[in-house]
Amino acid sequence: GNSVTQMEGPVTLSEEAFLTINCTYTATGYPSLFWYVQYPGEGLQLLLKATKADDKGSNKGFEATYRKETTSFHLEKGSVQVSDSAVYFCALSKGIRAAGNKLTFGGGTRVLVKP
Amino acid sequence: EAQVTQNPRYLITVTGKKLTVTCSQNMNHEYMSWYRQDPGLGLRQIYYSMNVEVTDKGDVPEGYKVSRKEKRNFPLILESPSPNQTSLYFCASSPMDRGDYGYTFGSGTRLTVV
């Protein structure tokens, strides 16, 4: 079946440091890939997405590139802020026909940015 | 504002007392789903619905029921809650014809069963 593996946290960084969160997936075909962010006490918000190989999703200074050859979708940000402290989830969707539009999530990575 | 609304946000209940968590969306989405979030386990799908009167089990359906009588509403029912159902629950929705859309999530319901 489909699965998503992401690095375990917590990841602790200083402000303005470079952030990378690794995400790899297992799925047949060409899933859509997503990063969601969950701020403390809130629900999940879509951060960025990519729907085909070599696509780059970007938002709020975060980027991730869909790498079919390595089945990866690593999240990066060049200079983090304290406000980026959150839990980040990598997810995939095979779409309606393949899996009823189901999103499969990784375990989440908690990021803590210190001033 | 396009949103998914869950109620209540917090709930403490006792073992065996039936409860319902409501979920409503205003985006005319066909697809709705319930997830639970537990430490170290990420998000796991409980039930989903692809349209009115069409529901199906997700990965962890035991102990839960759902119904979809109207397009906008998708309540989660715990007929006899147990402590292992203590968790953070999220409702989500998406359009059915957009596999690349992802989901819009509600703000969550934190349930404690004692």
Side-chain angles (χ1 to χ4, degrees), chain A residues 40-93:
Chain A
E42 298 184 13
L44 281 77
Q45 303 173 25
L46 179 63
L47 181 59
L48 53 84
K49 66 181 180 183
T51 59
K52 60 182 188 293
D54 300 325
D55 265 3
K56 177 185 283 187
S58 61
N59 186 26
K60 299 182 180 180
F62 289 89
E63 292 183 340
T65 301
Y66 189 142
R67 300 288 188 199
K68 180 71 175 171
E69 63 276 13
T70 55
T71 61
S72 64
F73 192 54
H74 304 322
L75 182 68
E76 298 181 335
K77 185 174 185 182
S79 177
V80 294
Q81 306 299 314
V82 172
S83 57
D84 294 324
S85 298
V87 180
Y88 294 83
F89 291 92
C90 185
L92 71 82
S93 171

